[in-house]
Amino acid sequence: MISNDDGYHSNGIRALVSMVKDLADVLVCAPEGARSGYSCAFSAADYLRLKRRKDIEGVETWSCSGTPVDCVKLAIDQLCDGRMPDMVIGGINHGDNSTVNNHYSGTMGVAMEGCLKYIPSIAFSSCYYDEQANLEPLRPYVRAIVRKVLTEGLPKGVCLNVNFPAREQFEGLRICRMTFGRWINEVVKEHHPRGFDYFWMVGEYHNDEPDAEDTDQWALKHGFVAVTPTKMDVTDYDLLNKLQFDV
């Protein structure tokens, strides 16, 4: 089952379908429009609609009026005919979802939702923000990763966050951890002619450990495909055994 956060019409999801359509029975259910930054949000207050769309590469394709997570939930409940997907894939996203972007990403929201249902799940992202970028060089890596996970699975509560640098030739693949970094200068304030202030969310990414060579940002900067295993269990087990409160 494939979804994304760029919409069912995006170049990235069409490229992904073409790369994996011969590996399994594939179903697409993706947002009807862009849903970047929705992370694991779902529609608790609004109704949702599904709409059958023209097949992508001969693959059954639906759009959903909600979030990427809504797409996964609805696809499993309404479109899978009682079957559970062998894999959930998000992407291919147009934009970098490494480092802390992992937490904001709707593409990762797709993989996390699958993972929370104990389905092996992967998110694929390209650091090319151009929606018409050539994604064909990603094909052998996408296929190799999908084949391996289909064959071997993933540990319970773990999904993969895979990011490709903005280039058409790669130095190889690195298994790496998430970089500690943060977004700064995130808000731009403007004044509307009608007399009120309004704000744009923008920002600049700041890498807080630029010299660390075991991170996803280092890998991408040096031309490697970055694969980051991501856990759903957010418990800090070291602190769990030390934390005390005097009450």
Side-chain angles (χ1 to χ4, degrees), residues 17-60:
V17 169
S18 76
M19 294 173 189
V20 303
K21 65 179 183 178
D22 65 321
L23 302 181
D25 296 328
V26 179
L27 170 70
V28 172
C29 183
E32 61 187 16
R35 299 289 189 271
S36 293
Y38 273 65
S39 186
C40 291
F42 69 96
S43 300
D46 297 324
Y47 68 85
L48 298 170
R49 296 186 63 187
L50 285 170
K51 186 173 182 179
R52 185 72 159 87
R53 300 290 183 171
K54 183 179 179 180
D55 287 358
I56 299 174
E57 300 271 346
V59 168
E60 181 179 340

Side-chain angles (χ1 to χ4, degrees), residues 26-242:
V26 179
L27 170 70
V28 172
C29 183
E32 61 187 16
R35 299 289 189 271
S36 293
Y38 273 65
S39 186
C40 291
F42 69 96
S43 300
D46 297 324
Y47 68 85
L48 298 170
R49 296 186 63 187
L50 285 170
K51 186 173 182 179
R52 185 72 159 87
R53 300 290 183 171
K54 183 179 179 180
D55 287 358
I56 299 174
E57 300 271 346
V59 168
E60 181 179 340
T61 301
W62 294 76
S63 71
C64 168
S65 58
T67 71
V69 166
D70 290 331
C71 293
V72 178
K73 291 180 181 292
L74 278 177
I76 291 174
D77 188 79
Q78 295 292 312
L79 304 176
C80 289
D81 296 325
R83 299 187 298 168
M84 187 63 73
D86 294 304
M87 180 180 291
V88 171
I89 308 178
I92 298 169
N93 187 66
H94 299 290
D96 181 356
N97 278 324
S98 66
T99 184
V100 293
N101 295 340
N102 186 316
H103 295 286
Y104 299 118
S105 165
T107 306
M108 276 301 294
V110 170
M112 289 179 181
E113 181 63 21
C115 190
L116 289 170
K117 291 179 166 31
Y118 308 129
I119 303 170
S121 300
I122 309 170
F124 290 108
S125 302
S126 167
C127 292
Y128 276 124
Y129 284 85
D130 179 2
E131 293 190 2
Q132 299 307 315
N134 177 23
L135 300 177
E136 188 59 27
L138 283 60
R139 180 180 293 271
Y141 292 88
V142 169
R143 288 179 61 84
I145 292 168
V146 169
R147 281 182 183 276
K148 185 175 181 65
V149 174
L150 274 174
T151 301
E152 301 179 13
L154 288 169
K156 178 180 177 181
V158 176
C159 61
L160 298 182
N161 182 18
V162 182
N163 286 272
F164 293 84
R167 51 160 65 189
E168 295 192 1
Q169 291 186 331
F170 308 119
E171 299 299 322
L173 185 149
R174 286 176 70 104
I175 312 301
C176 43
R177 66 176 176 87
M178 187 186 85
T179 308
F180 277 98
R182 57 208 152 90
W183 285 91
I184 58 175
N185 302 323
E186 294 182 275
V187 179
V188 171
K189 180 180 179 179
E190 302 285 356
H191 189 74
H192 197 279
R194 293 185 177 177
F196 58 87
D197 293 331
Y198 64 98
F199 306 89
W200 291 102
M201 298 301 294
V202 287
E204 307 163 26
Y205 175 73
H206 185 273
N207 186 338
D208 290 322
E209 44 179 353
D211 297 326
E213 297 184 4
D214 61 341
T215 67
D216 50 12
Q217 280 283 291
W218 188 95
L220 293 169
K221 182 178 178 180
H222 290 83
F224 291 91
V225 180
V227 180
T228 303
T230 302
K231 296 183 71 172
M232 298 298 101
D233 183 353
V234 297
T235 307
D236 185 327
Y237 287 96
D238 290 334
L239 187 58
L240 179 71
N241 296 321
K242 300 174 184 177

